[in-house]
Amino acid sequence: MKKLNAGITAPKGYRAAGVFCGIKKKKLDLAMLTSDIPAQAAGAFTRNVVCAAPVHWDRRIIALGSPVSAVVINSGNANACTGKQGMEDTEAMAKLTGTLLGTPMDAVLICSTGVIGVPLPMEQVSSGITAASAELGRGSAKDDDAAQSILTTDTFIKQECVEIDIEGTPVRIAGIAKGSGMIHPNMATMLSFILTDAAVEEGLLQELLGSSIQDSYNMISIDGDTSTNDTVLALANGAAGNPVITRNSKHLETFTEAFDAVNASLARQIVLDGEGATKFIEARVSGAPSKEDARKLVKSVITSNLVKTAFFGEDANWGRILCAMGYSGAFFTPETTRLEISSAGGSLLLLDEGTPAGFDEAQALKVLKEREITITITLSDGSDSAAAWGCDLSYEYVKINGEYRT
Amino acid sequence: MKKLNAGITAPKGYRAAGVFCGIKKKKLDLAMLTSDIPAQAAGAFTRNVVCAAPVHWDRRIIALGSPVSAVVINSGNANACTGKQGMEDTEAMAKLTGTLLGTPMDAVLICSTGVIGVPLPMEQVSSGITAASAELGRGSAKDDDAAQSILTTDTFIKQECVEIDIEGTPVRIAGIAKGSGMIHPNMATMLSFILTDAAVEEGLLQELLGSSIQDSYNMISIDGDTSTNDTVLALANGAAGNPVITRNSKHLETFTEAFDAVNASLARQIVLDGEGATKFIEARVSGAPSKEDARKLVKSVITSNLVKTAFFGEDANWGRILCAMGYSGAFFTPETTRLEISSAGGSLLLLDEGTPAGFDEAQALKVLKEREITITITLSDGSDSAAAWGCDLSYEYVKINGEYRT
């Protein structure tokens, strides 16, 4: 697997555009991604009971299993809690895109992110779709425009691209994402789009995505909330011309590893851009009795407000870590638990066989003052492991989310 | 039911003391509550896998079902993550108390709250138990000492007392509690002690407590974390001389209502003293499909960091409320949901039949600038209701929990 310094159109057969159409005040607010060959599509969506119109639309398209030619994403307005009008607007977006590109409207996926409870400004959205369809292209300028257009309060674009070799054929997987920005009047949405030119057996992409999100987007936490619009979409158009990757293919592992790496990288970038975050925290556990227990343990640690504020305060507060593990709902034996934190500043043993290790405060500060910190949990309850990524909880988080009116 | 301005020894046959023994630097740090007649005891404990030595001890005593004569509570040290030494220290506390009071050690319940991972300073603790046993008494001075001694970073004592009439016999229920104070180096603990002079059928008190905590302590949220030491204990000594309250007694409802009221009041006081809280938020739901769904919905709203910061920012952010309901795991129909907020400043309809109501910003600010705010959620999915209590998330919360070293 080779990491490329390239954007969303690095895989063959894809084009992209990002335009400003006036949903936001100034910034790019509408992106279009297209595949020249109709692509196999996969999707993973928010489990929130309250979900936005485009989520309903995309779920239906993905369930149909029919090929997809385009994805349209607008930022600035989430088209959530907008009732019947919202569904009609989403359908109008798909219809217009289909007409402009000469594809069925059921081959068009739609995502929206931004304000909720306000109908989409359809005049602006329609002009944006028309403009984007005219500006579709390949290369870094188009890639950047697309990556920019999906952002809300993110402070940087999030993209990743890797290349693998399948029997001499280069296959690429690229992705862009937006993170957990709260915008007026509200709410965190995570969007991620993965494009690959791999040829993949019918239905396999959905299986891979379902599994890949478990160890990427599902293992990050900005503030524990799940949005009405969270969506991950993946397209595979086969333009690379590789021998088809099947469920029994010897190349499945290579492809899966690369696909997972792109998703994990985007998840990591979302956390790095978490609102008000001053520190990036990775929690790793090994020796857990099951994969599910392992995931619950690290997720609970990363989600705890007490753990988050302790890291903001650069405090080696192992008690809060152990406590968060304790109420995670996962099984583990506290008496044999080992806890360690490490960073570029060194490492620090906090708990050994369930007993406080007693540490040097100066050394603790050296480890904790770094921006990226890893919590390593070693259990003796089994052989499963997991990792989760989070950030600290700062004054700035409260400020952004409590006082954005000022 | 009559509310009395009285403390923990208002019910007959109980004595109390609170002393300073040197676990903390200055403040009272050890309380003793005794019943002249061995009392029926009930307990509810943290579900955290990591639980402190005294929790193990108390669970065993409550499971035995044998009568209880005393409860000893120390603050300043939680005796958690202290291994074999911790269990020995808890036992030594019970043994010394038993010897001093002339009761079996299995008739003594123990609670600890404070620093974790540090062995109890047993010399101080022993001198404290000895001093407290000599100072046991009744009346407001003793009540206040006991209520003070169990606090950590709480800013006020939490107590409640009510009186009911059972066929002409006055019966009292009193309680004290401590809230979610974080202390160096760490962690939130909730303790609550309920004493009643009611005569209650064997085993009934445990049933009533198990049910009562569901709508009181389990429905509050300071920061979503569950401590290693959370404990609620109730004693009933029968000193009032009332006709025994049985499972089929016509007085069961009167007693249950009063018992629940004391627990609800203490839970409310704990929230009011939440760290850094500037606002008290009550979430009420009606029309839910089940009691469990109802509880999940309001608990999710109260626990959401996004909802909490919105209230801190005095923002009528109904989207965040609806979103938190959506990921609660409970069933409800967003399309028929009604959302309203109210306070001493008036009321404000936010969402009607799932549709944004459109509100006046000036009126919103009038409602939101108050210190106590109620969120009323009306569903059309059934007939169950629930309430939960929480606080906002402020700079001060981050400061207390992130920077207490400075």
Side-chain angles (χ1 to χ4, degrees), chain A residues 24 75 147-154 156-158 177-178:
Chain A
K24 292 184 190 165
S75 58
Q148 281 285 353
S149 299
I150 65 173
L151 304 183
T152 50
T153 55
D154 303 61
F156 54 81
I157 65 169
K158 290 149 196 76
K178 80 160 282 281

Side-chain angles (χ1 to χ4, degrees), chain B residues 373-391:
Chain B
I373 295 158
T374 302
I375 304 167
T376 306
I377 304 161
T378 312
L379 306 177
S380 313
D381 300 304
S383 57
D384 279 291
S385 58
W389 304 275
C391 54

Side-chain angles (χ1 to χ4, degrees), chain B residues 297-309:
Chain B
L297 286 165
V298 286
K299 194 74 191 286
S300 184
V301 167
I302 283 300
T303 311
S304 158
N305 277 353
L306 286 177
V307 171
K308 283 165 171 287
T309 47

Side-chain angles (χ1 to χ4, degrees), chain A residues 186 225 315 317 327 404-405, chain B residues 186 225 315 327 404-405:
Chain A
N186 178 292
D225 282 12
D315 180 29
N317 203 316
Y327 64 72
Y404 51 78
R405 274 168 183 270
Chain B
N186 162 318
D225 282 13
D315 179 30
Y327 64 72
Y404 52 78
R405 275 168 184 271

Side-chain angles (χ1 to χ4, degrees), chain A residues 269-312:
Chain A
Q269 290 177 54
I270 288 168
V271 174
L272 280 169
D273 201 13
E275 282 174 339
T278 72
K279 288 185 195 296
F280 176 87
I281 305 159
E282 177 173 64
R284 310 195 66 87
V285 64
S286 62
S290 74
K291 188 75 186 169
E292 199 194 333
D293 284 310
R295 284 180 181 141
K296 276 186 187 165
L297 286 166
V298 285
K299 194 74 192 287
S300 184
V301 167
I302 283 302
T303 310
S304 159
N305 276 354
L306 286 177
V307 171
K308 284 166 169 289
T309 47
F311 278 98
F312 175 63

